[in-house]
Structure formats: structure tokens, C-alpha cells
Amino acid sequence: MLSSRASLAATRRLVPTTSFAQQAGWTCAQCRNSIPTLRKGVPSLLRANGPTTRRYGSKTGGNGGRQDHNYGGRSRARRSAVLAATGGGVAAAAATVGGSLLAFGDDIKNSYEAMERTGRVAAALVLCINDYYTTLGRRDKVEKPEEKETLLKACHQRCADRTLKVLEQSGGIFIKLGQHLSAMNYLLPPEWTTTFIPLQDRCPVSSFESIQAMFKADTGQDLLDYFSEFSPEPIGAASLAQVHMATIRETGQRVAVKVQHPSLKKWAKLDMNLTSFTFSTLKRFFPEYDLEWLSSEVEVSLPQELNFECEAENSKRTKEYFGSLSQPLPLVIPDVLWAKKRILVMACEAGKRLDDLDYMDSQGIDRDEVSATLARIFNEMIFGEGAPLHCDPHGGNIAIRKNDTRRRGPNFDIVLYDHGLYRDIPQDLRRSYAKMWLAVIDGDMEGMKKYVNEVAGIGEDKFPLFASAITGRDFMIVSDTNEGGVMKPKEASEQKTMSTALQEGLLADLVQMLGQVPRIILLILKTNDLTRSLDESLHTKQGPVRQFLILARYCMRTVFYEQLEEIKKRGSLYWPPNAIRVFAAWLGFLRVELKLEAFELWLSAKRLLGYKNLGLEAAA
């Protein structure tokens, strides 16, 4: 997605061919410099001192040597009127025919581009299906496990590379889909997920001319009538939109302007149909790998993400929610000034990428504290009463900046962008989800099975698979509480074991299972994966331990509030039996809270001494 920060000016962008760039209405910053028609008359920063006035004039010339005849004594004025009417009629007819030809030409062009787009996807789909069929056939004839694995890995890589080219060439929704797939390391082989990672940064850039035309069409006003300055080069680009810096003429306020790629309106419907066709075709050839649930989720989510008015509401609501917390978090959400469906004007809140470790180290920002703050923010979104959940928290949507103004607390701010994809978690689901995580952390297998069934409708047969998917860990680690369970740092050997298990048949079971769970669970899974990836990119000294401790706090708070609600149904909280129940519930909450607080203090002490790879067993 996208961020409105200045640090994204150096973000890598997709580099299409010149001809396609011109047809689609966008091109990358590098290619734009090589296209004279795009650079002509566009300064590095557009400044307008007032509305641009265009003057149109006509030249008058002689009669071309024609003789002036009387035509039976009719007056010169009448002859002029007849000639003007005749000429006007011919001109009107010519204009009508010309307009029809131009419209017909546009239809031909659009049809050609649509066929080219469709053919590109279909060709890649056929090649990938054939490649897998051929490889699996060869694999069945090989006896050595190492050779089987080598054959399949090579096929994964070929198909991933082939698909990446198609996604990059098509842009828009396809880039968005690739970004989503790159985070699904619990589902797809590493050859696919790692190949798609560059899509987080290599995104299309729409031309300045197309942005001007869209602004005029959507607002009825010239862009430079509203803005006194508007940078033609975006500071950040994503799959669906890009961000420009600008200055509002009337107030002089410096703002970030998020604009949707104009070409999306033209191709969104076709691209969605192609996505659905792709997954339905894959299901037809490989029934055990049914990914139609993924295209169904995209069909629901995409219209929301393409509506910036909806994004503005999500942003406002999230800002109000976090502003009402009794213990504020260092979270910054840019103020939205106004929004149209394809245009969003917001306050400029700049920052650095979360993977800019040199910046954090040079500014004295503790990466472990950054990790803990992110955990608190997103756990608040999941477990907070009435909290909205941001479902696309990848590295491009989050920034960090130094803040020395606080006397106590973190010396940094977390800036959260792109509020297009949000969900609300139902209360019953939130409470069962909290109990499920407490069972996972405690290593309570029976509790895990019970609440996994409540959360996702998963039975005992697929429970281990879901537990691995939700935690991102090998089930043997999750169930082995003697060695720390999920608190134990993840090792490279564990990731290899999980990848091997997927290749040996668990992948089909996982795909089928995910097709059965509620859609909100899929988005929670996605959020878990993205936040887990963010934490890993910080290379903290504490590993995943602190993340799970913070998660446990929020889960216990959710369970405690539920217990209070149940007690209130029995009558007044001051009634002696109810007061005893409240005290017992509070003691249970306090016991866990104190235990976790003591453990976190122990971790902090170990961190100060420079220890890494901390697990629960070390604290025992």
C-alpha cells in the first residue's frame, strides 16, 4: 500500500515498457525522464500564481483568389450567410464523423489492451499448470527424496518468476494480489513468497498529466487552482495509489495528497474477473488446492480500498479511538482534510521506514521498544472494545520518527498510513480468540482445541494445522511447553521443517482448511503474519518472547471484562457473593499480570546484559 512519507522518495518502482506506460497512463520515475512528451513543460515543482488562462484566437486570411460573383443579384450578406451555413454544416458533419472515428479508435485500442491483458494472464496460467503437471510427473519417477525436492523447488521458482513478470506488467490489482501472497508464508512455498517480496516496493507510478485530468474530472476544479504548489513526482507509490506533496493555495498548509491510479477505474472489473478465472481454473486442474476463497476476499475488500471516502472515515474513527485511551500510545494518524472517492488530502506526517535500522540506531531509538509498541497497537485493535482493525500493516504503511518532547515513555512516534482495509471483530469472536491464545501460551491442548473450534470451526483432525498457521510455528514447538512452546525463539531448522511438511502433502490440507474458516479469521491471519514479519525485520534482542507477553496481557484483560459482565448479570457487584466473584476474577487477572510483569523485567535485565535468544525455560 502506501505511505505519505518523504523517505519513500527513494522507493523502488515498477519499470514498465514505454509503450505500455503511455497506454496505461502511468510510468515510473526513471522511464519518465526518457519520455520527452511526459517531461515537456513539467518543472520539478509546479507553482501557480493564479488560475491558468488560455487564450484561443483565429487567423483571418484572404479568399484564396476566389472571384466574388453576384449570384442573381442576391446581397453579399446573404451569400455570406449561406456559405457560412453550408460550411458550418460540412464542418459539423466532419466533426461528427471524426468524433465517431476517434471513439471507434478508442474502442479498438481498449479492446486490444483488454485482449493483451487477458492473454498475458492466460498464457502464464497455462504455462504454470503445464509446468507443474510435467514436474509432478517426473517427480513420481524419481526415487531419491533430495532429487524430488530439487525438482519441485525449481518448478516453484520458475512459476513464481513467470507470475511475477505478469503481475508487474499488469500493475494495479495484480500488484496488490502479489503483495498479499508475499505475506502468506504459512501457505505458499518460500520460492513464491520471497519472489513476490519486491512487489512491496516496486509499484507503478501514474503520470502527472493523468492525475491532473482525474482531479479535474472528480472535483470540477483545476489542480493548480486549488494547490499553489504540487510536486509532479510522487514521494511514494503503491499498488492502488500514490502520494504527492502539495500546498493548499488558500491556507498555505503543506499536505500529502493521495491519488488513485487513474487506470484502475478502467481495468478494475476486468482484473477482478481475471483473478477469479485464474483461481477457478487452478481449482479445476488441482482440486485439492482450492484458492477461490482468496479471490472472494479480494472481491469484497477491493471496493472498500478503492473508496477513499471510506478510508477517510476509517482514519478518523481510529484516531478517535486511540485518542480516548487512558494510557496513550505513541501512534500518529494523519488528519484528513477532505476526501473524494479517488482523492484524499491529509496532513503531512513524515517518517522513516521500519526496516531503516541505521536510522533508529543513530537516533537512539530502542528497537525492542519499537517492537513492543507495535505489539500494543495491533493487540489493542484486535482486543479493544469497539476498536477497528487495520488489516494491511505491512512495512510500506508504517513509519517511525524521533520524538524527544515526552518526559516519560518512548522517544519515537509510530505513523500509521493507508486505512482502506479495515474490519470490526465481533465481541464473541474476540473473546474466544483471546481464550485461544491464552491456551496456546499456557500449552493447554484441550483448551486450544475447544477455542479453535469456537473461533474457526476447526475440528481435532485439522487442529494442529490451524495452530501452526495462527502462530507461524511448527506444531511440535507449539505443543512442547517443556521447551518454551511458542515463547521459544524460531530457528532456521524449524522453518525448513515447516516448508518440507507443506511440500509433502500438508499444503493441500491447509488450503482446504483456510477455505472453510470465516473471512474475518483470514484477515486476522494476514494481520498476524504482517506484524510478525515487521517484528522479525527489527532484529530485536528479545526474540518473540515479549510479543507473546504483551499478547497475553491483552487476552487476560478481555477475559476479565467478560467475567465482570457475567457477574453483573447476577445482580449488583456489591452483593457479597458477587463481590467475592469479582475479587476472584481480579486475583486471576492480577496473578497473570504480575507474573508477566516480573518476566518482562527479567527480560529487560537480560537485554541490558546483551543476551539474545531468550526462552521461557531460561526464566524457570
Side-chain angles (χ1 to χ4, degrees), residues 316-338:
K316 179 181 178 181
R317 181 183 168 200
T318 306
K319 190 178 184 71
E320 290 176 350
Y321 177 85
F322 279 92
S324 67
L325 296 180
S326 57
Q327 295 181 342
L329 293 168
L331 175 65
V332 175
I333 297 174
D335 288 320
V336 174
L337 277 67
W338 59 268

Side-chain angles (χ1 to χ4, degrees), residues 149-214:
E149 183 179 356
T150 300
L151 281 173
L152 192 55
K153 281 180 171 291
C155 180
H156 287 325
Q157 192 61 60
R158 286 193 303 273
C159 292
D161 291 337
R162 191 178 294 128
T163 304
L164 177 65
K165 291 180 181 179
V166 173
L167 298 180
E168 288 180 331
Q169 289 173 349
S170 301
I173 294 173
F174 292 103
I175 297 288
K176 183 72 177 176
L177 179 63
Q179 291 174 344
H180 190 167
L181 294 174
S182 70
M184 299 177 70
N185 50 16
Y186 59 88
L187 175 62
L188 298 177
E191 290 80 13
W192 282 86
T193 55
T194 55
T195 299
F196 287 173
I197 285 177
L199 292 175
Q200 298 289 355
D201 291 328
R202 298 207 313 246
C203 294
V205 176
S206 296
S207 69
F208 176 69
E209 291 79 3
S210 67
I211 298 302
Q212 282 183 304
M214 184 180 73

Side-chain angles (χ1 to χ4, degrees), residues 208-422:
F208 176 69
E209 291 79 3
S210 67
I211 298 302
Q212 282 183 304
M214 184 180 73
F215 191 92
K216 176 72 171 179
D218 289 9
T219 67
Q221 188 176 10
D222 286 334
L223 184 143
L224 290 177
D225 286 347
Y226 183 79
F227 298 107
S228 59
E229 292 182 343
F230 191 96
S231 174
E233 297 292 339
I235 61 170
S239 56
L240 304 181
Q242 62 194 45
V243 171
H244 294 259
M245 294 301 299
T247 302
I248 298 177
R249 176 181 297 281
E250 184 177 346
T251 64
Q253 182 179 356
R254 194 70 171 156
V255 294
V257 184
K258 179 177 177 180
V259 290
Q260 194 175 115
H261 294 305
S263 61
L264 285 176
K265 184 177 181 181
K266 179 179 180 180
W267 298 118
K269 186 174 182 180
L270 173 62
D271 290 350
M272 277 309 311
N273 289 336
L274 288 174
T275 302
S276 300
F277 170 76
T278 297
F279 287 120
S280 63
T281 302
L282 288 174
K283 179 183 177 181
R284 189 174 298 112
F285 283 91
F286 303 101
E288 65 274 23
Y289 300 108
D290 182 5
L291 288 171
E292 285 191 303
W293 54 267
L294 182 57
S295 62
S296 298
E297 177 56 38
V298 173
E299 287 178 356
V300 173
S301 302
L302 189 64
Q304 298 178 27
E305 294 188 79
L306 291 177
N307 187 349
F308 290 175
E309 292 174 338
C310 178
E311 177 174 346
E313 288 298 319
N314 291 335
S315 176
K316 179 181 178 181
R317 181 183 168 200
T318 306
K319 190 178 184 71
E320 290 176 350
Y321 177 85
F322 279 92
S324 67
L325 296 180
S326 57
Q327 295 181 342
L329 293 168
L331 175 65
V332 175
I333 297 174
D335 288 320
V336 174
L337 277 67
W338 59 268
K340 295 287 186 181
K341 191 170 183 179
R342 298 192 292 175
I343 303 169
L344 183 70
V345 179
M346 54 190 164
C348 179
E349 301 287 357
K352 297 289 186 180
R353 286 181 63 98
L354 273 179
D355 56 10
D356 192 344
L357 304 183
D358 291 337
Y359 168 77
M360 283 184 269
D361 294 342
S362 66
Q363 296 296 316
I365 297 175
D366 190 334
R367 283 186 254 158
D368 289 292
E369 290 304 317
V370 174
S371 171
T373 299
L374 289 173
R376 293 186 183 102
I377 290 172
F378 287 99
N379 278 305
E380 185 66 52
M381 286 185 169
I382 292 174
F383 297 106
E385 289 285 343
L389 175 62
H390 190 303
C391 296
D392 199 21
H394 63 73
N397 287 339
I398 304 176
I400 187 169
R401 67 187 185 191
K402 185 73 174 289
N403 185 347
D404 287 326
T405 61
R406 299 186 187 91
R407 292 184 179 180
R408 299 177 61 184
N411 64 340
F412 58 85
D413 289 327
I414 297 294
V415 188
L416 185 60
Y417 307 108
D418 196 354
H419 304 272
L421 184 57
Y422 268 70

Side-chain angles (χ1 to χ4, degrees), residues 414-472:
I414 297 294
V415 188
L416 185 60
Y417 307 108
D418 196 354
H419 304 272
L421 184 57
Y422 268 70
R423 287 291 189 277
D424 289 291
I425 303 177
Q427 185 182 71
D428 291 343
L429 176 60
R430 188 191 319 120
R431 290 173 173 176
S432 295
Y433 188 66
K435 295 171 187 174
M436 183 202 76
W437 269 112
L438 288 174
V440 169
I441 294 172
D442 290 339
D444 178 5
M445 288 295 110
E446 293 304 315
M448 273 192 269
K449 292 176 183 178
K450 174 184 177 181
Y451 294 115
V452 161
N453 184 264
E454 288 186 11
V455 166
I458 300 298
E460 289 193 22
D461 56 333
K462 294 183 179 179
F463 157 70
L465 197 58
F466 183 82
S468 293
I470 200 77
T471 60

